């Protein structure tokens, strides 16, 4: 039985991943800020009593170690880590303050860096492991805010650089860079609920295939990246944007 930690499991792609991997008979530690929302997701998973919900504050890096220790103890080892937490936190100002920029970095990249620091040494000892970071096409396209784009670009640089080093230890670190997609309570879901006209305009003007992506289209790639067959993907960044992006380089 494989064991996975999913960060950001209460909504969006993280929630979809928890349910998906439970059907593959993974043992799961679900992590997010809201324990009550995590419990709702856990109960949707196959064999919910096999899994655990753990509250974590990604904005407070100093509290992360305690939660990760609980997760690894419950799982009795970690095969896969899926970093699915992130977002822009509504901080869209161009001249963003360093305080707010720090919040975005903590949520999107620095919390993941700390979690990896705690988990990777054991993976090195076991000579195996898979770590998947969910980034965004905003890492190479100027499509979001200054703070959000910068944080996502940092994820890509981190995965590309550390993934190369970890490959020698049979640890597969990868990044998935989605464009717009619909997931439980994610950004596109909220946009559709808040302003359907802007949502429809996004589909019409930004998505060449004229339909919104779904978590079910992304999850088969994540399942593959969580497997031992993904060795050639070490350090790779995989765009999944339905041709939304315009860059030749990523």
């Amino acid at each position: 039985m494989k064991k996975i930690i999913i960060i950001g499991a209460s909504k969006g792609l993280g929630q979809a991943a928890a349910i998906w991997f439970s059907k593959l008979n993974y043992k799961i530690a679900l992590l997010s800020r809201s324990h009550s929302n995590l419990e709702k997701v856990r109960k949707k998973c196959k064999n919910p009593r096999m899994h655990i919900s753990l509250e974590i504050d990604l904005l407070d890096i100093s509290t992360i170690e305690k939660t990760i220790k609980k997760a690894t103890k419950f799982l009795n080892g970690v095969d896969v880590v899926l970093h699915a937490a992130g977002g822009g936190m509504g901080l869209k100002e161009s001249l963003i303050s360093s305080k707010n920029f720090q919040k975005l970095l903590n949520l999107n990249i620095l919390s993941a860096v700390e979690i990896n620091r705690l988990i990777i040494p054991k993976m090195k000892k076991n000579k195996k492991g898979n770590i998947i970071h969910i980034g965004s096409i905003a890492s190479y396209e100027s499509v979001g805010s200054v703070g959000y784009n910068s944080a996502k670009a940092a994820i890509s640089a981190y995965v590309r650089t550390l993934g190369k080093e970890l490959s020698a230890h049979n640890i597969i670190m990868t990044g998935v860079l989605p464009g717009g997609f619909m997931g439980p309570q994610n950004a596109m879901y909220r946009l559709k609920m808040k302003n359907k006209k802007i949502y429809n305009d996004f589909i019409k003007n930004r998505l060449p295939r004229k339909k919104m992506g779904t978590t079910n289209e992304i999850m088969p790639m994540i399942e593959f990246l969580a497997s031992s067959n993904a060795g050639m993907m070490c350090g790779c960044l995989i765009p999944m944007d339905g041709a939304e992006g315009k860059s030749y380089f990523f």
Side-chain angles (χ1 to χ4, degrees), residues 13-240:
L13 191 57
Q15 179 182 142
I19 295 168
W20 185 284
F21 280 111
S22 74
K23 293 176 182 177
L24 298 175
N25 297 316
Y26 276 66
K27 187 176 183 180
I28 308 170
L30 298 87
L31 277 60
S32 187
R33 182 175 57 181
S34 172
H35 187 267
S36 60
N37 288 342
L38 282 175
E39 278 295 280
K40 292 176 183 177
V41 177
R42 185 182 65 83
K43 290 172 183 177
K44 292 179 182 179
C45 292
K46 179 183 175 182
N47 299 323
R49 284 185 286 185
M50 280 180 52
H51 318 304
I52 191 171
S53 301
L54 294 171
E55 187 174 333
I56 190 168
D57 184 0
L58 300 179
L59 297 183
D60 187 352
I61 305 298
S62 66
T63 66
I64 287 175
E65 185 170 1
K66 184 177 180 181
T67 303
I68 294 302
K69 283 183 176 178
K70 288 180 181 178
T72 54
K73 182 178 180 181
F74 173 80
L75 294 175
N76 191 28
V78 181
D79 298 300
V80 183
V81 180
L82 174 60
H83 294 283
M89 301 179 67
L91 301 172
K92 298 180 180 180
E93 59 268 39
S94 298
L95 299 178
I96 187 170
S97 69
S98 59
K99 182 178 179 180
N100 284 340
F101 205 160
Q102 185 69 55
K103 289 179 181 178
L104 288 173
L105 291 173
N106 282 1
L107 175 62
N108 288 281
I109 176 66
L110 295 182
S111 54
V113 168
E114 178 66 5
I115 290 167
N116 290 344
R117 184 186 70 84
L118 296 166
I119 291 174
I120 286 173
K122 189 63 178 290
M123 286 184 168
K124 284 184 175 180
K125 186 177 180 180
N126 294 334
K127 297 182 179 179
K128 64 176 182 177
N130 298 65
I131 302 171
I132 306 159
H133 290 260
I134 305 302
S136 169
I137 64 167
S139 66
Y140 60 89
E141 298 263 348
S142 184
V143 295
S145 67
V146 170
Y148 181 77
N149 287 1
S150 300
K152 293 303 184 185
I155 293 174
S156 292
Y158 175 79
V159 169
R160 195 69 172 139
T161 308
L162 184 55
K164 179 180 180 180
E165 179 182 323
L166 294 177
S167 63
H169 301 275
N170 198 35
I171 298 171
I172 305 166
M173 176 176 279
T174 54
V176 177
L177 311 178
F181 70 93
M182 181 65 73
Q185 292 84 50
N186 77 339
M188 281 299 164
Y189 173 89
R190 296 193 301 272
L191 177 61
K192 185 178 182 181
M193 294 298 104
K194 183 179 179 179
N195 194 322
K196 197 164 185 179
K197 182 182 184 305
I198 293 178
Y199 173 82
N200 288 334
D201 286 346
F202 182 95
I203 293 175
K204 179 181 178 181
N205 299 320
R206 290 273 296 275
L207 305 182
R209 62 180 187 157
K210 307 305 178 188
K211 69 175 184 178
M212 185 62 66
T214 69
T215 56
N216 283 339
E217 293 179 291
I218 300 172
M219 279 309 306
M221 174 61 74
I222 294 176
E223 179 184 339
F224 167 66
L225 295 176
S227 75
S228 59
N229 294 323
M232 282 288 288
M233 306 303 290
C234 291
C236 287
L237 301 161
I238 304 101
M240 297 189 72

